[in-house]
Coordinates of all heavy atoms in Angstrom, one line a residue:
Chain J
D82 N 19.4 -6.4 9.5 CA 20.0 -5.0 9.6 C 20.8 -5.0 10.9 O 20.3 -4.4 11.9 CB 19.0 -4.0 9.5 CG 18.5 -3.7 8.1 OD1 18.8 -4.5 7.2 OD2 17.8 -2.7 7.9
T84 N 23.9 -3.5 11.2 CA 25.1 -2.6 11.1 C 25.5 -2.0 12.4 O 26.6 -1.5 12.5 CB 24.8 -1.5 10.1 OG1 23.5 -0.9 10.5 CG2 24.7 -1.9 8.7
D85 N 24.6 -2.1 13.3 CA 24.9 -1.4 14.6 C 25.7 -2.4 15.5 O 25.5 -2.3 16.7 CB 23.6 -1.0 15.3 CG 23.9 0.1 16.3 OD1 24.9 0.7 16.2 OD2 23.0 0.2 17.2
R210 N 0.9 6.6 -0.6 CA 0.7 8.0 -0.2 C 0.6 8.9 -1.5 O 0.4 10.1 -1.4 CB 1.8 8.5 0.7 CG 2.3 7.4 1.6 CD 2.7 8.0 2.9 NE 1.6 8.2 3.8 CZ 1.2 7.4 4.7 NH1 1.7 6.2 4.8 NH2 0.1 7.7 5.4
R227 N 31.1 6.0 9.5 CA 31.7 6.5 10.7 C 33.2 6.5 10.6 O 33.8 6.0 9.7 CB 31.3 5.6 11.9 CG 29.8 5.4 12.1 CD 29.6 4.5 13.4 NE 28.2 4.2 13.6 CZ 27.5 3.2 13.2 NH1 28.1 2.3 12.4 NH2 26.2 3.1 13.5
Y234 N 23.0 2.7 8.3 CA 21.8 2.1 7.8 C 21.4 2.5 6.4 O 21.2 1.7 5.5 CB 20.7 2.3 8.8 CG 19.3 1.9 8.2 CD1 18.9 0.6 8.0 CD2 18.5 2.9 7.8 CE1 17.7 0.3 7.4 CE2 17.2 2.6 7.2 CZ 16.9 1.3 7.1 OH 15.7 1.0 6.5
Y282 N 1.9 3.1 10.3 CA 2.2 2.3 11.5 C 0.9 1.7 12.2 O -0.2 2.3 11.9 CB 3.0 3.1 12.5 CG 2.4 4.4 12.9 CD1 1.5 4.4 14.0 CD2 2.5 5.6 12.2 CE1 0.8 5.5 14.4 CE2 1.9 6.7 12.6 CZ 1.0 6.7 13.7 OH 0.4 7.8 14.0
K289 N -3.9 7.3 18.2 CA -3.2 7.4 16.9 C -1.7 7.3 17.1 O -0.9 7.5 16.2 CB -3.6 8.8 16.3 CG -5.0 8.9 15.9 CD -5.4 8.1 14.7 CE -6.9 8.3 14.4 NZ -7.4 7.1 13.6
K291 N 1.9 5.6 17.8 CA 2.5 4.4 17.4 C 2.5 3.3 18.5 O 2.9 3.7 19.7 CB 4.0 4.7 16.9 CG 4.5 3.6 16.0 CD 5.8 4.1 15.3 CE 6.9 4.4 16.2 NZ 8.2 4.5 15.4
L353 N -6.4 -7.1 8.1 CA -7.5 -6.1 8.1 C -7.1 -4.9 8.8 O -7.9 -3.9 8.9 CB -8.7 -6.8 8.7 CG -9.8 -7.3 7.7 CD1 -9.4 -7.4 6.3 CD2 -10.4 -8.5 8.2
G355 N -5.6 -2.0 8.4 CA -5.0 -1.1 7.4 C -5.2 -1.6 5.9 O -4.8 -0.9 5.0
S357 N -8.3 -3.6 3.4 CA -9.6 -4.3 3.2 C -9.8 -4.6 1.8 O -9.3 -3.9 0.9 CB -10.7 -3.4 3.8 OG -10.9 -2.3 2.9
E363 N -14.5 -10.5 5.6 CA -13.7 -10.3 6.8 C -12.8 -11.5 7.1 O -11.8 -11.4 7.7 CB -14.5 -9.9 8.0 CG -15.8 -10.7 8.1 CD -16.6 -10.4 9.3 OE1 -16.0 -9.7 10.2 OE2 -17.8 -10.7 9.4
R378 N -5.1 -0.9 -2.0 CA -6.2 -0.9 -1.0 C -5.7 -0.8 0.4 O -6.4 -1.1 1.4 CB -7.1 -2.1 -1.2 CG -7.9 -2.0 -2.5 CD -9.1 -2.9 -2.5 NE -10.0 -2.6 -1.4 CZ -11.0 -1.6 -1.5 NH1 -11.2 -0.9 -2.5 NH2 -11.7 -1.4 -0.4
S382 N -4.1 5.9 6.6 CA -4.0 6.4 8.0 C -3.8 5.3 8.9 O -4.2 4.1 8.6 CB -5.3 7.2 8.3 OG -6.4 6.4 8.0
A385 N -5.6 1.5 14.7 CA -5.3 1.2 16.1 C -5.5 -0.3 16.4 O -6.5 -0.9 15.9 CB -6.3 2.0 17.1
K390 N -11.1 -7.0 19.0 CA -11.3 -7.5 17.6 C -10.4 -8.7 17.4 O -10.8 -9.7 16.7 CB -11.1 -6.4 16.6 CG -11.4 -6.8 15.2 CD -12.5 -5.9 14.6 CE -12.9 -6.3 13.2 NZ -13.9 -5.4 12.7
K400 N -13.4 -21.8 16.7 CA -14.7 -22.6 16.4 C -14.5 -23.5 15.2 O -15.2 -24.5 15.2 CB -15.8 -21.6 16.2 CG -16.4 -21.0 17.4 CD -17.5 -20.0 17.1 CE -17.9 -19.2 18.3 NZ -18.3 -17.8 17.9
D442 N -17.3 -24.3 22.6 CA -16.8 -22.9 22.2 C -16.2 -22.2 23.4 O -15.8 -21.0 23.2 CB -17.9 -22.1 21.6 CG -18.4 -22.7 20.3 OD1 -17.6 -23.5 19.7 OD2 -19.5 -22.5 19.9
R443 N -16.2 -22.8 24.5 CA -15.6 -22.1 25.7 C -14.1 -21.9 25.6 O -13.6 -21.0 26.2 CB -16.0 -22.8 27.0 CG -17.5 -22.8 27.2 CD -17.8 -23.7 28.4 NE -19.2 -23.8 28.7 CZ -20.0 -24.7 28.1 NH1 -19.5 -25.5 27.2 NH2 -21.3 -24.7 28.4
H520 N -25.7 -25.8 41.0 CA -24.5 -25.0 41.3 C -23.7 -25.5 42.4 O -22.4 -25.5 42.3 CB -25.0 -23.6 41.6 CG -25.8 -22.9 40.5 ND1 -25.3 -22.7 39.3 CD2 -27.1 -22.5 40.5 CE1 -26.3 -22.1 38.5 NE2 -27.4 -22.0 39.3
R523 N -21.8 -28.5 41.0 CA -20.7 -28.1 40.1 C -19.5 -27.6 40.9 O -18.4 -28.0 40.7 CB -21.1 -26.9 39.2 CG -20.0 -26.4 38.3 CD -20.4 -25.2 37.5 NE -21.3 -25.5 36.4 CZ -21.0 -26.1 35.3 NH1 -19.7 -26.4 35.1 NH2 -21.9 -26.3 34.4
T530 N -17.3 -22.1 39.4 CA -18.7 -21.8 39.1 C -18.9 -21.9 37.6 O -20.1 -21.9 37.1 CB -19.1 -20.4 39.5 OG1 -18.3 -19.5 38.9 CG2 -19.1 -20.3 41.0
G532 N -17.8 -23.7 33.7 CA -17.1 -24.8 33.1 C -18.0 -25.4 32.0 O -19.1 -24.9 31.7
Chain E
rC20 P 3.1 15.4 2.6 OP1 2.9 15.0 1.2 OP2 2.6 16.7 3.1 O5' 2.5 14.3 3.6 C5' 2.9 13.0 3.4 C4' 2.3 12.1 4.5 O4' 2.8 12.6 5.7 C3' 0.8 12.2 4.7 O3' 0.1 11.4 3.8 C2' 0.7 11.7 6.1 O2' 0.8 10.3 6.2 C1' 1.9 12.4 6.8 N1 1.5 13.7 7.4 C2 0.9 13.7 8.6 O2 0.6 12.6 9.1 N3 0.6 14.9 9.2 C4 0.9 16.0 8.6 N4 0.6 17.1 9.3 C5 1.6 16.1 7.4 C6 1.9 14.9 6.8
rC21 P -1.3 11.8 3.3 OP1 -1.8 10.8 2.3 OP2 -1.4 13.3 3.1 O5' -2.2 11.5 4.7 C5' -2.4 10.2 5.1 C4' -3.0 10.2 6.5 O4' -2.3 11.1 7.4 C3' -4.4 10.8 6.5 O3' -5.4 9.9 6.1 C2' -4.6 11.2 8.0 O2' -4.8 10.0 8.8 C1' -3.2 11.7 8.3 N1 -3.0 13.1 8.3 C2 -3.5 13.9 9.4 O2 -4.1 13.2 10.3 N3 -3.3 15.2 9.4 C4 -2.7 15.8 8.4 N4 -2.6 17.1 8.5 C5 -2.2 15.1 7.3 C6 -2.4 13.8 7.3
rU26 P -12.6 5.7 17.6 OP1 -11.4 6.4 17.7 OP2 -13.6 6.0 16.6 O5' -12.3 4.1 17.5 C5' -11.2 3.5 18.2 C4' -11.1 2.1 17.7 O4' -12.2 1.4 18.1 C3' -11.0 1.9 16.2 O3' -9.7 2.2 15.7 C2' -11.4 0.4 16.1 O2' -10.3 -0.4 16.5 C1' -12.5 0.4 17.1 N1 -13.8 0.7 16.5 C2 -14.4 -0.3 15.7 O2 -13.9 -1.3 15.5 N3 -15.6 0.1 15.1 C4 -16.3 1.3 15.3 O4 -17.4 1.5 14.7 C5 -15.6 2.3 16.1 C6 -14.4 1.9 16.6
rC27 P -9.5 2.6 14.2 OP1 -8.0 2.9 14.1 OP2 -10.5 3.6 13.9 O5' -9.7 1.3 13.4 C5' -8.9 0.1 13.6 C4' -9.3 -1.0 12.7 O4' -10.6 -1.4 13.1 C3' -9.6 -0.6 11.3 O3' -8.3 -0.5 10.6 C2' -10.5 -1.7 10.8 O2' -9.8 -2.9 10.5 C1' -11.4 -1.8 12.0 N1 -12.6 -1.0 11.9 C2 -13.7 -1.5 11.2 O2 -13.7 -2.6 10.7 N3 -14.8 -0.7 11.2 C4 -14.8 0.5 11.7 N4 -16.0 1.3 11.6 C5 -13.7 1.0 12.5 C6 -12.6 0.3 12.5
rU28 P -8.2 0.4 9.3 OP1 -6.9 0.2 8.7 OP2 -8.6 1.8 9.8 O5' -9.3 -0.1 8.4 C5' -10.1 0.7 7.5 C4' -11.2 -0.1 7.1 O4' -12.2 -0.2 8.2 C3' -12.1 0.5 6.0 O3' -11.5 0.2 4.7 C2' -13.4 -0.2 6.1 O2' -13.4 -1.5 5.7 C1' -13.5 -0.2 7.7 N1 -14.2 0.9 8.2 C2 -15.6 1.0 8.0 O2 -16.2 0.2 7.3 N3 -16.2 2.1 8.5 C4 -15.6 3.1 9.2 O4 -16.3 4.1 9.6 C5 -14.2 3.0 9.4 C6 -13.6 1.9 8.9
rA29 P -11.6 1.2 3.5 OP1 -10.7 0.7 2.4 OP2 -11.5 2.5 4.0 O5' -13.1 0.9 3.1 C5' -13.5 -0.4 2.6 C4' -14.9 -0.4 2.2 O4' -15.8 -0.1 3.3 C3' -15.2 0.7 1.2 O3' -14.8 0.4 -0.1 C2' -16.8 0.7 1.3 O2' -17.3 -0.3 0.5 C1' -17.0 0.4 2.8 N9 -17.3 1.6 3.6 C8 -16.5 2.3 4.4 N7 -17.2 3.3 5.0 C5 -18.4 3.3 4.4 C6 -19.6 4.1 4.6 N6 -19.6 5.2 5.4 N1 -20.7 3.8 3.9 C2 -20.6 2.7 3.0 N3 -19.6 1.9 2.8 C4 -18.5 2.2 3.5
rG30 P -14.0 1.4 -1.0 OP1 -13.7 0.8 -2.2 OP2 -13.0 2.1 -0.2 O5' -15.1 2.5 -1.3 C5' -16.4 2.1 -1.9 C4' -17.4 3.1 -1.6 O4' -17.5 3.4 -0.2 C3' -17.0 4.4 -2.3 O3' -18.0 4.9 -3.2 C2' -16.8 5.4 -1.2 O2' -17.3 6.6 -1.4 C1' -17.5 4.8 0.0 N9 -16.9 5.2 1.2 C8 -15.6 5.0 1.6 N7 -15.2 5.7 2.7 C5 -16.4 6.4 3.0 C6 -16.6 7.3 4.1 O6 -15.9 7.8 4.9 N1 -17.9 7.8 4.0 C2 -18.9 7.4 3.1 N2 -20.1 8.0 3.2 N3 -18.7 6.5 2.1 C4 -17.4 6.1 2.1
rG38 P -26.4 3.1 6.7 OP1 -27.8 3.3 6.4 OP2 -25.8 3.5 7.9 O5' -26.1 1.6 6.4 C5' -26.6 0.9 5.2 C4' -25.6 -0.1 4.7 O4' -24.5 0.6 4.1 C3' -24.9 -0.9 5.8 O3' -25.7 -2.0 6.3 C2' -23.7 -1.3 5.1 O2' -23.9 -2.4 4.2 C1' -23.3 0.0 4.4 N9 -22.5 0.8 5.3 C8 -22.8 1.9 5.9 N7 -21.9 2.4 6.7 C5 -20.8 1.6 6.5 C6 -19.5 1.6 7.0 O6 -19.0 2.4 7.8 N1 -18.7 0.5 6.6 C2 -19.2 -0.4 5.7 N2 -18.3 -1.4 5.4 N3 -20.4 -0.5 5.2 C4 -21.1 0.5 5.6
rA40 P -22.8 -7.0 10.2 OP1 -23.4 -8.4 10.3 OP2 -23.4 -5.9 10.9 O5' -21.3 -7.2 10.6 C5' -20.5 -8.2 10.2 C4' -19.1 -8.0 10.7 O4' -18.5 -6.8 10.2 C3' -19.0 -7.9 12.2 O3' -19.0 -9.2 12.9 C2' -17.7 -7.2 12.4 O2' -16.6 -8.1 12.2 C1' -17.7 -6.2 11.2 N9 -18.3 -4.9 11.6 C8 -19.6 -4.4 11.4 N7 -19.8 -3.2 11.9 C5 -18.6 -2.9 12.5 C6 -18.1 -1.8 13.2 N6 -18.9 -0.7 13.4 N1 -16.8 -1.8 13.6 C2 -16.1 -2.9 13.4 N3 -16.4 -4.0 12.8 C4 -17.6 -3.9 12.3
rC41 P -19.6 -9.3 14.3 OP1 -19.7 -10.8 14.6 OP2 -20.9 -8.5 14.4 O5' -18.5 -8.6 15.2 C5' -17.2 -9.2 15.4 C4' -16.3 -8.3 16.1 O4' -16.2 -7.1 15.4 C3' -16.9 -7.9 17.5 O3' -16.7 -8.8 18.5 C2' -16.0 -6.6 17.7 O2' -14.7 -6.9 18.1 C1' -16.0 -6.0 16.3 N1 -17.1 -5.0 16.2 C2 -16.9 -3.8 16.8 O2 -15.9 -3.5 17.4 N3 -17.9 -2.8 16.7 C4 -19.0 -3.1 16.0 N4 -20.0 -2.2 16.0 C5 -19.2 -4.4 15.4 C6 -18.3 -5.3 15.5
rA42 P -17.7 -9.0 19.7 OP1 -17.1 -10.0 20.6 OP2 -19.1 -9.1 19.2 O5' -17.6 -7.5 20.4 C5' -16.4 -7.2 21.1 C4' -16.5 -5.8 21.6 O4' -16.6 -4.9 20.4 C3' -17.7 -5.4 22.4 O3' -17.5 -5.8 23.8 C2' -17.8 -3.9 22.3 O2' -16.8 -3.3 23.1 C1' -17.4 -3.7 20.8 N9 -18.6 -3.7 20.0 C8 -19.1 -4.7 19.2 N7 -20.3 -4.4 18.6 C5 -20.5 -3.1 19.0 C6 -21.5 -2.1 18.7 N6 -22.5 -2.4 17.9 N1 -21.4 -0.9 19.3 C2 -20.4 -0.7 20.1 N3 -19.4 -1.4 20.5 C4 -19.5 -2.7 19.9
rU50 P -31.6 -25.1 32.0 OP1 -31.5 -26.5 32.1 OP2 -32.9 -24.4 32.2 O5' -30.5 -24.4 32.9 C5' -30.9 -24.1 34.3 C4' -29.7 -24.1 35.1 O4' -29.1 -25.4 35.3 C3' -28.5 -23.3 34.4 O3' -28.6 -21.9 34.7 C2' -27.3 -23.9 35.2 O2' -27.2 -23.3 36.5 C1' -27.7 -25.4 35.4 N1 -27.2 -26.3 34.3 C2 -25.9 -26.6 34.3 O2 -25.1 -26.1 35.2 N3 -25.4 -27.4 33.3 C4 -26.2 -27.9 32.3 O4 -25.7 -28.7 31.5 C5 -27.6 -27.6 32.4 C6 -28.0 -26.8 33.3
rU51 P -28.0 -21.0 33.6 OP1 -28.6 -19.6 33.8 OP2 -27.9 -21.6 32.3 O5' -26.5 -20.9 34.2 C5' -26.2 -20.4 35.5 C4' -24.7 -20.4 35.7 O4' -24.2 -21.8 35.6 C3' -23.9 -19.7 34.6 O3' -23.8 -18.3 34.9 C2' -22.5 -20.4 34.7 O2' -21.8 -19.9 35.8 C1' -22.9 -21.8 35.1 N1 -23.0 -22.7 33.9 C2 -21.7 -23.2 33.4 O2 -20.7 -22.8 33.9 N3 -21.8 -24.1 32.4 C4 -23.0 -24.5 31.8 O4 -22.9 -25.3 30.8 C5 -24.2 -24.0 32.3 C6 -24.1 -23.1 33.3
rC52 P -23.9 -17.3 33.7 OP1 -23.9 -16.0 34.3 OP2 -25.0 -17.7 32.7 O5' -22.5 -17.5 32.9 C5' -21.3 -17.4 33.6 C4' -20.2 -17.9 32.8 O4' -20.3 -19.4 32.8 C3' -20.2 -17.5 31.4 O3' -19.6 -16.3 31.2 C2' -19.4 -18.6 30.7 O2' -18.0 -18.5 31.0 C1' -19.8 -19.9 31.5 N1 -20.9 -20.6 30.9 C2 -20.6 -21.6 30.0 O2 -19.4 -21.8 29.8 N3 -21.6 -22.3 29.3 C4 -22.9 -22.0 29.6 N4 -23.8 -22.6 28.9 C5 -23.2 -20.9 30.5 C6 -22.2 -20.3 31.1
rA53 P -19.8 -15.4 29.9 OP1 -19.0 -14.2 30.0 OP2 -21.3 -15.3 29.6 O5' -19.2 -16.3 28.8 C5' -19.7 -16.3 27.5 C4' -19.0 -17.4 26.7 O4' -19.3 -18.7 27.4 C3' -19.6 -17.6 25.3 O3' -19.0 -16.7 24.4 C2' -19.2 -19.1 25.1 O2' -17.9 -19.3 24.8 C1' -19.6 -19.7 26.4 N9 -21.0 -20.0 26.5 C8 -22.0 -19.3 27.1 N7 -23.2 -19.7 27.0 C5 -23.0 -20.8 26.1 C6 -23.9 -21.8 25.6 N6 -25.2 -21.7 25.8 N1 -23.4 -22.7 24.8 C2 -22.1 -22.8 24.6 N3 -21.1 -21.9 25.1 C4 -21.7 -21.0 25.8
rC54 P -19.9 -15.9 23.4 OP1 -19.1 -15.1 22.6 OP2 -21.0 -15.3 24.2 O5' -20.5 -17.1 22.5 C5' -19.7 -18.0 21.9 C4' -20.5 -19.2 21.3 O4' -21.2 -19.9 22.4 C3' -21.6 -18.7 20.4 O3' -21.1 -18.3 19.1 C2' -22.5 -19.9 20.4 O2' -21.9 -20.9 19.6 C1' -22.4 -20.4 21.9 N1 -23.5 -19.8 22.6 C2 -24.8 -20.4 22.5 O2 -24.9 -21.3 21.7 N3 -25.8 -19.8 23.2 C4 -25.6 -18.8 24.0 N4 -26.7 -18.3 24.7 C5 -24.4 -18.2 24.2 C6 -23.3 -18.7 23.5
rG55 P -21.8 -17.1 18.4 OP1 -21.1 -17.0 17.1 OP2 -21.9 -16.0 19.3 O5' -23.3 -17.6 18.1 C5' -23.5 -18.8 17.3 C4' -25.0 -19.1 17.3 O4' -25.3 -19.5 18.7 C3' -25.9 -18.0 17.0 O3' -26.1 -17.8 15.6 C2' -27.2 -18.4 17.7 O2' -27.8 -19.4 16.9 C1' -26.6 -19.0 19.0 N9 -26.6 -18.0 20.0 C8 -25.5 -17.4 20.6 N7 -25.8 -16.6 21.5 C5 -27.1 -16.6 21.6 C6 -28.0 -15.9 22.5 O6 -27.8 -15.1 23.4 N1 -29.3 -16.2 22.3 C2 -29.8 -17.2 21.3 N2 -31.1 -17.4 21.3 N3 -29.0 -17.8 20.5 C4 -27.7 -17.5 20.7
rG83 P -4.0 17.7 19.4 OP1 -4.0 17.5 20.9 OP2 -3.1 18.8 18.9 O5' -3.8 16.4 18.6 C5' -4.5 15.2 19.0 C4' -4.3 14.1 18.0 O4' -4.7 14.6 16.7 C3' -2.9 13.7 17.8 O3' -2.5 12.8 18.9 C2' -3.0 13.0 16.5 O2' -3.6 11.8 16.6 C1' -3.9 14.0 15.7 N9 -3.1 15.0 15.0 C8 -2.9 16.3 15.3 N7 -2.2 16.9 14.4 C5 -1.8 16.0 13.5 C6 -1.0 16.0 12.3 O6 -0.4 17.0 11.9 N1 -0.9 14.8 11.7 C2 -1.5 13.6 12.1 N2 -1.2 12.5 11.4 N3 -2.2 13.6 13.2 C4 -2.4 14.7 13.8
rG84 P -1.0 12.9 19.3 OP1 -0.9 12.0 20.5 OP2 -0.5 14.3 19.4 O5' -0.2 12.2 18.1 C5' -0.5 10.9 17.7 C4' 0.2 10.5 16.4 O4' -0.3 11.5 15.4 C3' 1.7 10.7 16.3 O3' 2.3 9.6 16.9 C2' 1.8 10.7 14.8 O2' 1.7 9.4 14.3 C1' 0.7 11.6 14.4 N9 1.1 13.0 14.2 C8 0.8 14.0 15.0 N7 1.2 15.2 14.5 C5 1.9 14.8 13.3 C6 2.6 15.6 12.4 O6 2.8 16.8 12.4 N1 3.1 14.8 11.4 C2 3.0 13.4 11.2 N2 3.5 12.9 10.2 N3 2.3 12.7 12.1 C4 1.8 13.4 13.1
rG85 P 3.8 9.6 17.2 OP1 4.2 8.4 17.9 OP2 4.2 10.9 17.9 O5' 4.5 9.6 15.8 C5' 4.5 8.4 15.0 C4' 5.2 8.7 13.7 O4' 4.6 9.8 13.1 C3' 6.7 9.2 13.8 O3' 7.5 8.1 14.0 C2' 6.9 9.9 12.5 O2' 7.0 9.0 11.5 C1' 5.5 10.6 12.4 N9 5.5 12.0 12.9 C8 4.9 12.4 14.0 N7 5.0 13.7 14.2 C5 5.8 14.1 13.1 C6 6.2 15.4 12.7 O6 6.0 16.5 13.3 N1 6.9 15.4 11.5 C2 7.2 14.3 10.8 N2 7.9 14.4 9.6 N3 6.8 13.0 11.1 C4 6.1 13.1 12.3
rU86 P 8.9 8.3 14.8 OP1 9.6 7.0 14.8 OP2 8.6 8.9 16.1 O5' 9.7 9.3 13.9 C5' 10.1 8.9 12.6 C4' 10.8 10.1 11.9 O4' 9.8 11.1 11.7 C3' 11.9 10.7 12.7 O3' 13.1 10.1 12.6 C2' 11.9 12.1 12.1 O2' 12.5 12.1 10.9 C1' 10.4 12.4 11.9 N1 9.7 13.1 13.0 C2 9.8 14.5 12.9 O2 10.4 15.1 12.0 N3 9.1 15.1 13.9 C4 8.4 14.6 15.0 O4 7.9 15.3 15.8 C5 8.4 13.1 15.0 C6 9.1 12.5 14.0
rA88 P 18.8 14.6 14.2 OP1 18.3 13.4 15.0 OP2 19.2 15.8 14.9 O5' 20.0 14.2 13.3 C5' 20.4 12.9 13.0 C4' 21.6 12.5 13.7 O4' 21.3 12.1 15.1 C3' 22.2 11.3 13.0 O3' 23.6 11.5 12.6 C2' 21.8 10.1 13.9 O2' 22.9 9.2 14.0 C1' 21.4 10.7 15.2 N9 20.2 10.1 15.6 C8 18.9 10.4 15.2 N7 18.0 9.7 15.8 C5 18.6 8.8 16.6 C6 18.2 7.9 17.5 N6 16.9 7.5 17.7 N1 19.1 7.2 18.2 C2 20.4 7.5 18.0 N3 21.0 8.4 17.2 C4 20.0 9.1 16.6
rC89 P 24.6 12.2 13.2 OP1 24.1 12.6 14.5 OP2 25.4 13.2 12.5 O5' 25.4 10.9 13.3 C5' 25.4 10.0 12.2 C4' 26.3 8.9 12.6 O4' 27.6 9.2 12.5 C3' 25.9 8.6 14.1 O3' 25.5 7.3 14.2 C2' 27.3 8.9 14.9 O2' 27.7 8.0 15.8 C1' 28.3 9.0 13.7 N1 29.3 10.1 13.9 C2 30.6 9.7 14.1 O2 30.9 8.5 14.1 N3 31.6 10.7 14.2 C4 31.2 12.0 14.2 N4 32.2 12.9 14.3 C5 29.9 12.4 14.0 C6 28.9 11.4 13.9
rC90 P 25.5 6.1 14.9 OP1 26.4 6.0 16.1 OP2 25.6 5.2 13.8 O5' 24.0 5.9 15.5 C5' 23.0 5.6 14.6 C4' 22.2 4.4 15.2 O4' 21.1 4.9 15.9 C3' 21.6 3.5 14.1 O3' 22.5 2.5 13.7 C2' 20.5 2.9 15.0 O2' 21.0 1.9 15.8 C1' 20.0 4.0 15.8 N1 18.9 4.8 15.1 C2 17.6 4.4 15.5 O2 17.4 3.5 16.3 N3 16.5 5.1 14.9 C4 16.8 6.1 14.1 N4 15.7 6.7 13.5 C5 18.1 6.5 13.7 C6 19.1 5.8 14.2
rA91 P 22.5 2.1 12.2 OP1 23.6 1.2 12.0 OP2 22.4 3.2 11.2 O5' 21.2 1.3 12.1 C5' 21.0 0.0 12.8 C4' 19.5 -0.3 12.7 O4' 18.8 0.7 13.3 C3' 19.0 -0.5 11.3 O3' 19.2 -1.8 10.8 C2' 17.5 -0.2 11.5 O2' 16.8 -1.3 12.1 C1' 17.5 0.9 12.5 N9 17.6 2.2 11.9 C8 18.6 2.9 11.4 N7 18.3 4.1 10.9 C5 16.9 4.2 11.1 C6 16.0 5.2 10.7 N6 16.3 6.3 10.1 N1 14.7 4.9 11.0 C2 14.4 3.7 11.6 N3 15.2 2.7 12.0 C4 16.4 3.0 11.7

Side-chain angles (χ1 to χ4, degrees):
Chain J
D82 282 14
T84 49
D85 201 21
R210 325 213 83 92
R227 301 182 180 95
Y234 165 76
Y282 55 88
K289 295 286 180 202
K291 201 162 70 165
L353 257 14
S357 67
E363 39 176 350
R378 291 199 60 84
S382 50
K390 188 120 182 179
K400 276 178 198 151
D442 297 335
R443 294 173 184 85
H520 301 297
R523 177 185 289 282
T530 57

